[in-house]
Amino acid sequence: MTLTPLALPTTADPTAWLAFLDARGRRSLDEAERLTSALRALSDGDTAALEAWNELGIVLANASAVGSLVSQVHPDAGVREDAEKIETEVHAFRTRLMLDTEVYARLASLEGADLDAALPTGAGRVLADALRGFRRSGVDRDDATRETLRALSERENDLSQAFSRNIRDGATSTRVPATALAGLPADYVEAHPAAEDGTVEITTGYPDTHPFMAFSTDRDARRAVMTTFLNLAWPANDQVLADLLAVREEMARTLGYSGWPDFDAEVKMIGSGDAIASFVEKVATDAVDSAERDAALLTERARIDHPDLERLDVADARHYSETVRRERFQVDAQQTRTYFDFTRVRQGLLDVTGRLFGITYTPVPDAVSWHDEVTVYDVSLDETGETLGRIHLDLHPRAGKYNHAAQFDLVPGVLDRQLPEGVLVCNFGRGLMEHSEVVTLFHEFGHLLHHTLAGRHPWVRFSGVATEWDFVEAPSQMLEEWAWDHGVLATFATDADGEAIPAELVERMREAEEFGKGIYARTQMYYAAISYYLHEQRPDDLTARVAELSEQYAVSRRLPDTHFHCGFGHLGGYTSGYYTYMWSLVIAKDLFSAFDPADLFAPDVARRYRDTVLAAGGSDDAAVLVERFLGRPYDNAAFTAWLES
Ligand SMILES: [Zn+2]
């Protein structure tokens, strides 16, 4: 069946977009209301209930996708606001739906029935997933318990928002002597003019704090800036977090779990709270040698400046990592960026992934969207010529736009129903790029490919990036490897004279990147331990427990009188699961071990990966997909070897 892409408004005009949001968002919600009533009215045991559930999933996903995308990218503030309202309405609809005892009863009546005879493959998995979701929201409890859970869930949401809001609104700054800017890039110095008293202001925003910590040679100033940064949202968030941890635990216990981490991990690959503790311990132990080796180098270098230094603290660590990288590996960011012209990089990315996965990107120059800098391509499969979906690349900054890098859905693909469409939203300059930005582009494009390639399932539940949450980063982390390979980079990274990036420069860039990976792994495990143990143990004194975890896991000494947990925003969204990024990386390294590092374009393995892992979406557990690709269960051998190399 030939499917056509979603028709977007033909101009960026706010009126046209408000009408579009109404049609795609609010009318989808009306449709969802109608589908819910029809589902309730079915007889028990009627498999049409599962089909209706799928329809409901499609209209809700469509509404939610336009809401969340448009609220982040449309140039008009009124349109963004309306899109945000749609997001909220969809969220409220879902919450009500998951506590709807009638809908639950119709679906629960199908348990044990032979669904695969009457419905497309995977029906049993869709049903099991839906019922688990209902039970996790407490739909099968008595009225009083449901009311308790509803109130707890609301309170959790409020506290979680307050936690983020305090971090956002708590942004502050430190005044340091203007001389502390020695060592910082010229544009940074220019953006920080000295006041009459000879001081400059360094805010707690990343673009201000990070370069300062890396480059400032003034140790006292670094300590002052870092102390301010690590006291973000303190003391306000100390109590908010304590309340949040208590509410989460009560929710989990009311639902019959031993605590929040067990509840949260149930729907992840890791499976249980105990497994998080073991994972953190294992990675931290595996990283000891590598971390100690690199920390010794940093300490040795720091002692040239400070002969009496005993142990690095967090105000030294970043600075000396940067110093050692620069001095040992001589990677000059000014030189490397001459090879990464934005337009050539974008084309290079398409050529590389097209060749790798056997797909073609056809530009759609007359496609319209929310901004004329967005480029649109249709994606087709080389073997058959079929259209797989459409991608939109919105890669430059502008006022009012989302300011990180992420992939957004526009349409979830459904077999014979709707073509998948995805959007990359990034903020790269229009001229030369840093190599780290090229890596980010490959990473985010990995999510976009996953969304597009997994867009041909009859069940929307399996569509796109629909695997367990602690797996979703793995395909993107693996695709980053291509941005570090000289053979790959040489196909598009050429300077103004057309000279390809030299192999020895890529080699030095890699060495510089790999330096400090043990320290990085231990730092990540320190964060993961905070996220897990604060939820699992709910200590009375959060600061004291975080200080203990710092001694146990972190490589550098923490600064006195700091309260990192108050500004650790990921405790809001990741809750007890901050381990996931490293968990995905372990699997990414294992997946990559199937490729030949000397020939990253070898077609067979890449196509097999495309079909078994990416195109499968959420149709099986991630562990099963990975095993199907590797021919064995995943393990951490490749990751450990990488840490030790
Ligand atoms: Zn990602």
Side-chain angles (χ1 to χ4, degrees):
M1 188 185 292
T2 312
L3 301 173
T4 48
L6 178 64
L8 294 173
T10 52
T11 80
D13 173 46
T15 326
W17 278 84
L18 289 171
F20 169 76
L21 286 174
D22 217 44
R24 189 76 181 169
R26 297 205 172 77
R27 253 171 274 156
S28 286
L29 283 171
D30 294 344
E31 173 69 1
E33 204 69 70
R34 198 190 59 73
L35 285 164
T36 309
S37 308
L39 202 166
R40 286 194 200 104
L42 292 170
S43 320
D44 280 345
D46 188 340
T47 56
L50 200 61
E51 292 174 285
W53 177 251
N54 192 43
E55 291 302 314
L56 203 46
I58 294 171
V59 294
L60 288 175
N62 287 346
S64 147
V66 291
S68 70
L69 172 71
V70 176
S71 71
Q72 300 288 354
V73 298
H74 201 279
D76 183 83
V79 173
R80 292 199 301 273
E81 239 167 71
D82 194 52
E84 216 172 286
K85 275 186 206 142
I86 288 172
E87 259 191 296
T88 313
E89 286 164 33
V90 177
H91 182 83
F93 189 98
R94 278 194 209 276
T95 308
R96 274 200 319 278
L97 180 65
M98 296 313 285
L99 284 165
D100 188 316
T101 52
E102 286 294 300
V103 173
Y104 172 66
R106 295 301 91 75
L107 291 170
S109 76
L110 300 177
E111 248 184 332
D114 178 18
L115 299 173
D116 288 335
L119 298 169
T121 312
R125 182 173 169 84
V126 173
L127 179 68
D129 176 79
L131 295 177
R132 185 174 68 177
F134 274 106
R135 285 169 194 150
R136 284 170 59 81
S137 68
V139 73
D140 55 346
R141 304 308 166 104
D142 59 55
D143 288 354
T145 312
R146 288 211 331 274
E147 190 41 49
T148 305
L149 283 165
R150 199 195 313 267
L152 283 171
S153 164
E154 232 165 77
R155 177 121 175 87
E156 199 270 348
N157 195 47
D158 290 348
L159 285 165
S160 196
Q161 280 178 349
F163 188 73
S164 314
R165 194 170 45 241
N166 286 339
I167 294 172
R168 209 170 50 231
D169 298 350
T172 162
S173 64
T174 318
R175 299 212 71 96
V176 297
T179 51
L181 295 182
L184 280 137
D187 54 345
Y188 188 97
V189 177
E190 211 169 291
H192 294 79
E196 269 181 28
D197 65 355
T199 63
V200 293
E201 181 183 31
I202 310 297
T203 72
T204 46
Y206 285 98
D208 246 25
T209 294
H210 278 212
F212 190 86
M213 295 314 295
F215 298 115
S216 174
T217 51
D218 183 332
R219 195 187 199 189
D220 291 335
R222 286 202 311 269
R223 281 193 177 149
V225 167
M226 198 60 181
T227 300
T228 306
F229 184 75
L230 292 171
N231 277 325
L232 203 57
W234 178 79
N237 266 352
D238 205 44
Q239 190 57 49
V240 174
L241 181 59
D243 293 344
L244 187 55
L245 297 170
V247 167
R248 284 177 180 162
E249 180 167 300
E250 196 184 340
M251 274 174 82
R253 288 188 187 273
T254 308
L255 287 161
Y257 295 81
S258 71
W260 180 266
D262 267 346
F263 170 71
D264 188 63
E266 183 191 36
V267 289
K268 311 264 169 76
M269 286 183 90
I270 204 160
S272 73
D274 284 350
I276 299 175
S278 314
F279 177 73
V280 167
E281 211 47 52
K282 170 93 178 91
V283 172
T285 307
D286 286 349
V288 166
D289 291 348
S290 166
E292 279 178 0
R293 221 169 26 236
D294 290 347
L297 280 173
L298 297 187
T299 309
E300 193 189 321
R301 175 61 188 82
R303 281 188 185 138
I304 297 176
D305 299 342
H306 310 286
D308 57 341
L309 179 138
E310 281 173 23
R311 185 180 160 198
L312 293 167
D313 65 28
V314 295
D316 295 325
R318 183 83 212 287
H319 176 68
Y320 286 103
S321 293
E322 200 58 42
T323 309
V324 168
R325 278 203 183 101
R326 193 173 52 240
E327 292 174 353
R328 272 176 85 93
F329 306 107
Q330 299 178 344
V331 176
D332 175 1
Q334 297 302 322
Q335 186 208 349
T336 51
R337 70 205 293 269
T338 61
Y339 293 100
F340 300 112
D341 167 72
F342 171 78
T343 310
R344 278 201 302 274
V345 170
R346 183 180 61 192
Q347 190 55 46
L349 166 79
L350 298 176
D351 293 342
V352 165
T353 54
R355 184 171 155 197
L356 191 60
F357 296 117
I359 52 185
T360 296
Y361 304 94
T362 310
V364 193
D366 55 346
V368 284
S369 63
W370 49 93
H371 194 273
D372 54 16
E373 272 189 330
V374 180
T375 48
V376 180
Y377 302 83
D378 280 332
V379 185
S380 59
L381 192 62
D382 292 345
E383 283 116 287
T384 60
E386 300 161 89
T387 302
L388 292 175
R390 177 171 276 196
I391 58 170
H392 308 249
L393 307 182
D394 183 354
L395 301 179
H396 303 304
R398 60 176 175 268
K401 181 181 154 178
Y402 178 76
N403 61 3
H404 299 282
Q407 185 258 327
F408 286 77
D409 297 353
L410 174 56
V411 181
V414 180
L415 184 70
D416 293 336
R417 282 285 299 276
Q418 50 188 36
L419 274 180
E421 294 191 53
V423 185
L424 270 204
V425 184
C426 301
N427 288 278
F428 304 125
R430 293 161 183 83
L432 298 176
M433 298 170 79
E434 304 285 333
H435 179 255
S436 61
E437 295 180 311
V438 177
V439 175
T440 301
L441 180 61
F442 271 71
H443 176 103
E444 298 305 338
F445 200 80
H447 294 306
L448 189 62
L449 275 173
H450 199 175
H451 176 75
T452 310
L453 290 167
R456 295 195 292 174
H457 294 277
W459 302 106
V460 70
R461 175 63 188 79
F462 302 161
S463 177
V465 187
T467 53
E468 294 98 315
W469 198 14
D470 46 4
F471 179 73
V472 300
E473 293 302 332
S476 286
Q477 288 166 330
M478 191 185 79
L479 200 59
E480 290 179 22
E481 303 276 357
W482 273 258
W484 286 102
D485 181 75
H486 177 254
V488 171
L489 291 176
T491 64
F492 62 84
T494 50
D495 67 12
D497 301 329
E499 289 294 322
I501 191 167
E504 65 81 28
L505 174 58
V506 177
E507 190 51 38
R508 275 188 285 126
M509 285 158 60
R510 286 195 73 114
E511 280 171 358
E513 169 72 11
E514 300 261 299
F515 176 76
K517 62 196 169 187
I519 297 176
Y520 168 77
R522 287 201 59 103
T523 308
Q524 287 289 305
M525 291 306 94
Y526 164 49
Y527 299 157
I530 293 172
S531 127
Y532 171 72
Y533 285 109
L534 294 192
H535 280 88
E536 182 64 19
Q537 300 170 336
R538 288 210 303 114
D540 290 334
D541 186 340
L542 298 175
T543 302
R545 185 70 181 112
V546 168
E548 276 171 22
L549 292 170
S550 168
E551 276 308 301
Q552 205 173 334
Y553 295 104
V555 175
S556 10
R557 198 204 324 253
R558 90 184 242 288
L559 293 175
D561 304 319
T562 55
H563 306 81
F564 168 64
H565 57 286
C566 292
F568 187 23
H570 288 309
L571 293 174
Y574 278 89
T575 73
S576 51
Y578 186 77
Y579 74 88
T580 54
Y581 203 78
M582 193 58 82
W583 177 270
S584 285
L585 188 62
V586 170
I587 300 175
K589 293 288 177 195
D590 203 11
L591 290 171
F592 187 61
S593 71
F595 289 81
D596 175 3
D599 180 13
L600 287 187
F601 285 113
D604 291 1
V605 60
R607 306 294 152 85
R608 201 156 48 75
Y609 171 72
R610 176 194 74 191
D611 296 337
T612 51
V613 178
L614 297 178
S619 60
D620 250 314
D621 292 352
V624 174
L625 303 181
V626 172
E627 179 165 356
R628 213 169 276 155
F629 170 62
L630 291 175
R632 57 164 173 80
Y634 68 90
D635 60 41
N636 63 357
F639 176 76
T640 313
W642 168 75
L643 267 183
E644 281 161 9
S645 66

